[in-house]
Amino acid sequence: MSIFKIDDNNELYYEYVEPKDGGYTCVFVNALTGDLSTWNGSIGKNLMKNNDGYLVYNFRGQSQSKFDRNLELNDDVIINDLINLVNFIKPENKVFIGLSIGGLYAAKSLLKGIQAKGLVLINTLRKPSERLNWINNAMANAVRFGGTSLILDMVLPMLASPKFLSTMKNNALKYENYLGLDDYDGITKLMHGGYTTNWDFDWAKLELPVLIMSGHYDKVFRIEEDINDLIKSVKNVRRIEVPECGHLIPVEDPELFSYHLNGFLQSLKT
């Protein structure tokens, strides 16, 4: 168990596997309700087969990471934590990979001076809108009433593939799972921070190679015309459509995700 201590009340839980023979270090950035277990299973093992490594961690407010209950867990806190952790570990040949809003946090950290060889955005691209504000606000409110189980049960059919839903069904839709979270809970604070995050990001400022992955079963955040418009401003971009999955590509099909990720890493090595 590795801990990056910020102060007596705040610390990040992380796991780091160093690359070999000039391999790349994939720095994975979670979604708000995510966990490093998204990455450190088969995805991490597949990286190691190719002499690549990885850095995974949980935000303050996520499992095993400690936070001050009076602290607002907004994007400034999350982005600065990412920067400070990377500067502490000093991994070689970094490639940043962010799921959902995690991709935005990763991109913002790059504009604050962190150097990387590449960036992978997984269902990240979206435009600020009243619709997006409504969704994020509703999720921030719902987590107080029924926790993440309520949010997932309500939106998962519009986020994930039917195949993935079938694997989740036995543990879903159970009223006893809906446990409300108070205002001082880490997930509550992260969801509120996500609601207040500014999505008006200038993607044209990114100079490094970018891979954009989009899952077609995502009917909540994926608006194709917005992605088509935003992607025009990304200078060095590769786009991969994933019709087999929805919003949670690394969770829904980690082997397929690893295949696409490895292809991107190999393109950076040539």
Side-chain angles (χ1 to χ4, degrees):
M1 180 166 131
S2 298
I3 297 295
F4 173 60
K5 185 171 181 178
I6 300 166
D7 56 39
D8 288 343
N9 297 314
N10 296 275
E11 58 191 29
L12 302 178
Y13 174 76
Y14 73 91
E15 297 175 11
Y16 173 51
V17 174
E18 192 172 356
K20 298 178 180 178
D21 301 325
Y24 284 79
T25 305
C26 290
V27 180
F28 292 104
V29 187
N30 294 335
L32 290 176
T33 58
D35 184 87
L36 55 78
S37 61
T38 299
W39 318 104
N40 66 357
S42 62
I43 294 172
K45 291 176 183 177
N46 286 330
L47 287 170
M48 293 166 65
K49 290 176 184 178
N50 297 315
N51 291 327
D52 296 312
Y54 60 85
L55 172 62
V56 293
Y57 74 105
N58 284 339
F59 301 158
R60 281 191 260 183
Q62 294 179 342
S63 175
Q64 298 174 280
S65 288
K66 187 176 175 182
F67 69 99
D68 185 334
R69 284 167 54 88
N70 295 314
L71 182 68
E72 294 300 322
L73 299 180
N74 54 33
D75 60 341
D76 284 338
V77 169
I78 295 171
I79 293 163
N80 286 330
D81 281 352
L82 172 56
I83 292 170
N84 291 334
L85 178 63
V86 167
N87 286 336
F88 172 72
I89 302 294
K90 295 181 173 60
E92 297 180 357
N93 299 324
K94 297 180 292 296
V95 175
F96 279 60
I97 299 143
L99 173 58
S100 191
I101 198 172
L104 180 65
Y105 296 147
K108 288 187 175 184
S109 74
L110 295 174
L111 293 192
K112 284 195 167 187
I114 289 290
Q115 299 297 311
K117 302 292 186 180
L119 172 67
V120 180
L121 304 173
I122 310 163
N123 290 310
T124 294
L125 290 187
R126 61 197 77 163
K127 289 184 177 181
S129 67
E130 192 59 41
R131 178 182 181 276
L132 182 61
N133 287 340
W134 186 295
I135 293 168
N136 290 335
N137 196 348
M139 288 185 173
N141 289 339
V143 78
R144 290 180 168 90
F145 287 94
T148 55
S149 293
L150 176 60
I151 294 175
L152 287 175
D153 285 356
M154 291 296 293
V155 303
L156 205 56
M158 297 173 287
L159 277 180
S161 69
K163 180 180 178 181
F164 184 70
L165 286 178
S166 68
T167 68
M168 299 291 289
K169 190 173 182 180
N170 288 339
N171 295 317
L173 303 173
K174 296 179 180 179
Y175 183 79
E176 59 269 23
N177 291 341
Y178 303 151
L179 303 176
L181 304 177
D182 65 37
D183 289 345
Y184 294 98
D185 186 272
I187 296 299
T188 304
K189 286 179 170 289
L190 287 170
M191 294 297 289
H192 180 73
Y195 167 57
T196 60
T197 294
N198 182 9
W199 282 87
D200 189 17
F201 182 79
D202 187 357
W203 298 101
K205 291 184 178 179
L206 297 175
E207 300 289 343
L208 75 177
V210 179
L211 172 64
I212 291 172
M213 300 181 67
S214 180
H216 288 198
Y217 280 105
D218 182 354
K219 308 300 182 183
V220 177
F221 297 108
R222 182 180 185 271
I223 299 178
E224 187 170 4
E225 54 267 34
D226 288 352
I227 296 172
N228 292 340
D229 188 39
L230 291 170
I231 207 169
K232 294 175 185 177
S233 65
V234 185
K235 296 172 183 175
N236 186 355
V237 64
R238 174 187 293 188
R239 180 174 183 174
I240 294 179
E241 299 295 309
V242 189
E244 303 93 337
C245 297
H247 191 68
L248 305 171
I249 298 171
V251 181
E252 295 177 55
D253 196 333
E255 291 300 325
L256 179 62
F257 174 76
S258 290
Y259 172 79
H260 290 309
L261 176 59
N262 182 61
F264 181 61
L265 295 178
Q266 291 301 320
S267 73
L268 298 177
K269 294 174 182 178
T270 57

